[in-house]
């Protein structure tokens, strides 16, 4: 362990990029990078940060290179592999090992009573899935999960398949990710998405980065942040960990010019307690309101507040009643630092707030998001250039999937238009989200689980409970590029359908196809694979959905499934009819870098019942920890993409070689009577429930007292299925109450 880096990025990033490419075929890897995020190329399968308009610039990062390298590997998981590896034996291997076996290349089935996958034809696979689905007592016994890499075209077809079948059971990774943002923002501004674009960052005077580690998870964001800093914008970071990239960042593309120096990023770094953001934001807002009291009428944006908002009086009265001492205690941030943050906020005409999982995966995730909105509304920082909310999305098309109707709670207007397009009556009753789907499978209410990408078992909370849920299914189906644990925790029967990756050429009926994605800033653009697929047997995600649908509904039904699977222009035509903002989709998406979906928020038209944005009056959450308890967050290392572990080097944090670690404050380590390097057991507490994981190495780290950090997914077994965010069911991956015990040796 070498301790946190002094400047993130730089030469270390370049070295790591070359290393990950060297693991693939260098030529194939190089070809892939040539087309990454370029006009006519494919969208990076990493994060959802937008590409700059000037595509001439090289736009990829070290971690983007790793994601691509993982996909373009030459290793293949063949039928001989599956013959040699019964499922119980595969389950004994690590997630890291499973993913390293390479790409799935042909459809496979595990039949009831067997313990191995064996090959079957595509047609037989589609027929079998249709047979099992048809035998269900109700369409609501099927669950259709989506991970966020799925293209708009595939997502649109997939939700259509589920709805034509008769269910809204469309849980997605968003249920575990930015659901708190979507829920919180919809209530406040009438839309569950961010309101800024890249050019707003060029105008912002201050940027708040709260509960996000962009140095690892959104590295391309630093192109934007470094430019903002050089222009004089102020940056405030709020995070229990001192993430090194947020302190100082060296852009890999600047390395030769600025060797070793880098740009100082944060003007103020607030090391909040885990789960302490509501308290901190309230403290900052109290300081803002104090300033207004001193100079009445001159601090708040009264014209905006009067014309475009409601609820300020109630909000203000409630905040007045909360003493500063409570806010300092709950947040772990001094009043002086709250004052400094307020001063930066007040010194800026235009403010953007960015956030990610550090805010959403808490019991108070929705409240966290709404307090950010409150702060911005006070000075009219929503719906003007250079200002607004920026929930930074995770998966590269998670936002687009929602726009395409992947949602267990579809809007009635969407269903009406979908029904009109295909002359059918889509189900209206809300479906199951991720946590509800796990419970339904566990309790026998759902019997078929179909996953469009992702690694459900490993990404979900409460590993043992979720595994049992899948094992109780009649059939589990996975559409995937690489092998993962979810494919091995099977229902009675299981089918694996290998698909093309982003980087690969997709030809249907001799015609090359492209797909589209929507980034975090609502820009819709093309993505077109350029590499020869690793196997001629692979099908595209749209073709797979169409294949299942044809087996299920036949060709003479309501939806022209065969045509849709063979010509994505036809899918886009349907999207243009059904989804607002996609008019003339096929033409517009072929022009330049794509188009931005319109939002009334930019004109301060809020799609709320009153037409106004609302201040939300929220109580102060109290985190009452027993004297032996810690509040644990689960975080990503620099060497993974969600459940796919690339390696064991969390370079920016200086932690390497082991991912079964628990980060604790040095004084807490001493108080627990252990030493750095010792192995401990972690026990989570949720009411009377107890869950235990053994053998985590203690790492001394600069984290607030009584807070702890472990890696996702190693610690997922500790996250109780019942512990979810108020109002939206997001698992509380970042506030798990635990106790630490010396490992029984
Ligand atoms: N390389 C790479 N890129 C990725 C991913 C990946 O795994 N690898 N995953 C993608 C996905 S799906 C997503 S959603 C995003 C995730 O991107 P992030 O949200 O940046 O990822 P996390 O590591 O989950 O943690 C976020 C940060 O929240 C902080 N945090 C935890 N609890 C709190 C809290 O209570 N308050 C505050 N203020 N901060 C807190 C943690 O210290 C950490 O720095 O990244 C996307 N991009
Ligand atoms: N403890 C804890 N748990 C968490 C989180 C956390 O912070 N802490 N974060 C949550 C978040 S934010 C998210 S988004 C979820 C992620 O949950 P998921 O999206 O379900 O998981 P991923 O690990 O992203 O999925 C990886 C798999 O996707 C498949 N795949 C990759 N590319 C493609 C493709 O192009 N097509 C298809 N069909 N398949 C492909 C590969 O087989 C790979 O194994 O995890 C959640 N779980
Ligand atoms: Mo995510």
């Amino acid at each position: 362990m070498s301790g946190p880096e002094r400047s993130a990025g730089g030469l270390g990033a370049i070295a790591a990029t070359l290393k990950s490419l060297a693991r693939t075929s260098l030529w194939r890897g190089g070809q892939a990078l040539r087309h990454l995020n370029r006009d006519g190329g494919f969208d990076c399968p990493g994060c959802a940060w937008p590409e700059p308009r000037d595509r001439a610039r090289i736009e990829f990062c070290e971690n983007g290179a790793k994601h691509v390298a993982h996909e373009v590997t030459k290793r293949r998981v063949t039928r001989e592999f599956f013959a040699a590896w019964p499922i119980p034996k595969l389950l004994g291997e690590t997630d890291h090992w499973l993913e390293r076996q390479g790409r799935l290349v042909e459809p496979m089935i595990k039949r009831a009573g067997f313990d191995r996958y064996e090959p079957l034809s595509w047609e037989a696979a589609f027929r079998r899935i249709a047979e099992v689905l048809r035998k269900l007592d109700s369409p609501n016994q099927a669950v259709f999960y989506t991970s966020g890499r799925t293209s708009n075209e595939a997502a649109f077809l997939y939700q259509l398949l589920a709805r034509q079948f008769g269910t809204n059971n469309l849980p997605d990774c968003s249920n575990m990710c930015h659901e708190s943002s979507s829920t919180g923002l919809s209530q406040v501004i009438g839309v569950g998405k961010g309101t800024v674009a890249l050019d707003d960052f060029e105008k912002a005077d201050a940027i708040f980065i709260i509960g996000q580690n962009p140095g690892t998870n959104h590295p391309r964001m630093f192109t934007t942040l470094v430019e903002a800093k050089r222009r004089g914008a102020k940056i405030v970071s709020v995070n229990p960990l001192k993430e090194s990239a947020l302190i100082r960042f060296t852009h890999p593309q600047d390395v030769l010019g600025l060797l070793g120096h880098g740009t100082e990023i944060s003007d103020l770094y607030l090391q909040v307690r885990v789960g302490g953001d509501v308290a901190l934001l309230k403290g900052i807002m109290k300081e803002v309101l104090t300033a207004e009291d001193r100079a009445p009428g001159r601090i708040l944006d009264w014209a905006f507040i009067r014309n475009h908002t409601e609820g300020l009086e109630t909000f203000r009265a409630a905040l007045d009643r909360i003493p500063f001492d409570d806010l300092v205690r709950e947040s772990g941030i001094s009043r002086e630092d709250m004052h400094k943050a307020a001063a930066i906020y007040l010194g800026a005409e235009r403010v953007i707030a960015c956030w990610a999982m550090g805010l959403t995966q808490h019991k108070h995730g929705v409240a966290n998001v709404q307090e950010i909105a409150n702060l911005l509304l006070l000075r009219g920082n929503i719906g003007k250039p250079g200002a607004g909310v920026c929930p930074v999305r995770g998966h590269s098309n998670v936002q687009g999937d929602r726009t395409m109707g992947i949602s267990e709670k579809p809007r009635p207007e969407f269903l009406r238009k979908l029904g009109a397009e295909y002359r059918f009556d889509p189900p209206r009753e809300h479906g199951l989200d991720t946590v509800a789907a796990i419970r339904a499978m566990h309790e026998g209410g759902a019997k078929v689980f179909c996953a469009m990408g992702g690694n459900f078992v490993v990404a979900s909370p409460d590993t043992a409970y979720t595994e049992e849920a899948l094992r109780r299914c009649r059939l589990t189906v996975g559409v995937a590029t690489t092998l993962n644990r979810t494919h091995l925790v099977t229902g009675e029967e299981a089918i694996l359908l290998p698909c093309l990756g982003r980087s690969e050429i997709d030809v249907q009926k001799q015609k090359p196809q492209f797909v589209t994605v929507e980034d975090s800033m609502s820009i819709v653009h093309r993505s077109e694979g350029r590499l020869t697929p690793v196997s001629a047997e692979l099908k595209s995600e749209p073709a797979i959905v169409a294949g299942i649908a044809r087996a299920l509904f036949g060709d003479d039904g309501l939806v022209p499934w065969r045509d849709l699977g063979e010509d994505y222009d036809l899918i886009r035509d349907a999207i243009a009819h059904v989804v607002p903002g996609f008019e003339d989709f096929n033409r517009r998406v072929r022009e330049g870098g794509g188009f931005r979906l319109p939002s009334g928020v930019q004109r301060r038209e809020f799609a709320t019942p009153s037409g106004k944005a609302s201040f939300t009056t929220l109580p102060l959450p109290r985190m009452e920890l027993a004297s032996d308890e810690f509040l644990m967050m689960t975080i990503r290392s620099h060497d993974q993409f969600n459940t796919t572990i690339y390696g064991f080097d969390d370079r920016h944090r200086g932690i390497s070689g082991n991912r079964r670690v628990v980060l604790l404050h040095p004084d807490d380590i001493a108080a627990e009577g252990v030493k750095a390097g010792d192995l401990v057991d972690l026990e989570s507490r949720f009411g009377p429930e107890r869950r235990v994981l053994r053998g985590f190495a203690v790492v001394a780290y600069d984290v607030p007292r009584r807070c702890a950090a472990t890696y996702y997914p190693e610690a997922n077994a500790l996250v109780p299925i019942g512990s979810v965010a108020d109002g939206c069911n997001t698992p509380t991956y970042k506030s798990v109450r635990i106790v630490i015990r010396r490992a029984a040796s």
Side-chain angles (χ1 to χ4, degrees), residues 371-389:
E371 294 288 13
I372 290 187
N374 285 336
L375 175 66
L376 294 184
L377 289 175
L378 286 174
R379 292 200 6 115
N381 277 309
I382 293 189
K384 73 178 177 191
V389 287

Side-chain angles (χ1 to χ4, degrees), residues 47 63 67 177 210-214 216-218 238-241 243 272-277 356-359 361-362 393-395 633-636 640-642 653 734:
C47 71
N63 279 346
H67 311 322
C177 184
I210 314 182
Q212 189 198 352
N213 180 21
T216 285
N217 298 311
H218 307 91
V238 180
N239 200 308
L241 300 183
E243 302 288 20
V272 68
R273 279 177 61 193
V274 171
D277 300 271
M357 297 304 100
L359 280 200
Q361 296 173 332
H362 291 279
R393 302 281 160 177
H395 264 298
M633 52 181 172
T634 57
I635 54 177
R636 291 163 169 78
Q640 72 184 87
F641 188 85
N642 295 343
R653 299 198 185 104
K734 291 199 180 19

